[in-house]
Amino acid sequence: MNRHVLILNRWTNSFAEYHRYIDHTADRVAYLTTAAGRPPLDAELAEDIRVLSDLSDTAEVLAQTGELVRLYGPFTHVLALSEFDLEPAGEIRRHFGIPGRGPDEVAAVRDKVVMKGLVAAAGLRVPAFRETPTASLVREFAAHNGYPFVLKPRAGADSQGVHVVRSEDRLEDLLDGADLADAQCEEFIDGALYQIDGVVQAGRLLTSRAWRCGGSCLDFATGTAFSSVANDDPDFERRVTVFAERVCAALDLTDDVFHLEVFRAPRPSGDGDELVFLEIGARAGGGQVRVIWEEVYGVDLVAASARVQLGDDLTIAPMDLDGPVAGYLMMPEPPVRPAVVDAVTSLAGRVPALCSETLPPPGTVLSGNGGAVHTAGTFRYRADRSAVVEEAIRQTLAAYRLDWHPLDERPDGAGGPAVREAVHVVG
């Protein structure tokens, strides 16, 4: 194909094995990567690999790209599959005149104020929101909208820096010394959280599936188990699919893998429920989304993301709602961190519908910085109905045990089983 591709990489696992889905002998491929992301890259196949201390350093990213262009010629494509690398990729495209999503288009899928504005303009329900770069603007939002409300970064991810503000006292604690330059406030939506993952090419939705979440990413980040179960209600699936298509059109997502989050909330009038847009990422979902899609549905969302952005024709069958129902459960790290894992109970063969698990081996240090990647255990399920998966999650929660001790104490010191906080499972 003779494409010249620049890849920005910060992944440290198999997701960074780009040679599995990009033919490095047909295309010329160069990398800008972090030091931690260097090992999975195939140096023998790569045109060049440049290690940067910080991929968010725009000046250094542009300088290194310029050097690569000088040595090897202009690039035809820039790939950035991590959400945190979309902005520098957009700057590279603009600076070097490379086709693809530039800074303004990146803002539509990264800046939550911009994206909600575009989705609202398309006639879809979004939470009341406002950019709030000063404490006075935050207080003004609270006075107008009341408590609780959400204070979070405009361009955050993984629930970093997200706060549900439930009282004036809590608000004042948060505002004390806070850097609000990138802050926004939005209405708190009391409803069931759904995630919709999908692949769109040439503006056409190839496949998608909605998942009912037990808890939220914020709950998981603060120490509560998180579950997600694929929806098998065909009427709701049709409804949420139309919603997702309208969101993609509003944000000009035409050749992407996306991860959309919406609330299903009661209408204020009491007449049924409505879908409320929360946010979207122009990338494959995190947590166990990529793993479970490949294990149960045979779709590699990371490979699809790369290939669809490169313009390769994809053949992906629409999701079969009469087929298997997948689900997963992620257990949070212990309440005292860093903690050392002493033992964790395998549930393989003990829980019906449990198809695979990933457990931290004894001696693993859980630092509290693992996010949804390095957890205290993940469990994946496959069944013919969502109710069976939900029951399997309940059984897993009841049987799960992680023994640990604080890093600075001996194994026979304080410690014990991880907190098994209840996860909401629909039923």
Side-chain angles (χ1 to χ4, degrees), residues 156-189:
D158 292 338
S159 295
Q160 297 176 14
V162 177
H163 303 279
V164 177
V165 187
R166 300 187 180 278
S167 68
E168 184 176 353
D169 288 344
R170 176 57 176 156
L171 174 59
E172 293 306 317
D173 288 342
L174 289 171
L175 293 180
D176 186 17
D179 180 2
L180 299 171
D182 186 46
Q184 62 123 16
C185 292
E186 68 183 33
E187 172 190 2
F188 178 84
I189 302 296

Side-chain angles (χ1 to χ4, degrees), residues 24 28 103-104 116 186 201 209 231 237 263 272 282 289 327 349 351 365 402 422:
H24 286 46
R28 293 182 295 139
D104 290 343
K116 284 197 288 288
E186 68 183 33
Q201 184 169 50
R209 189 72 180 252
N231 170 63
E237 193 71 16
F263 287 106
V289 170
V351 176
V365 176
L402 173 75

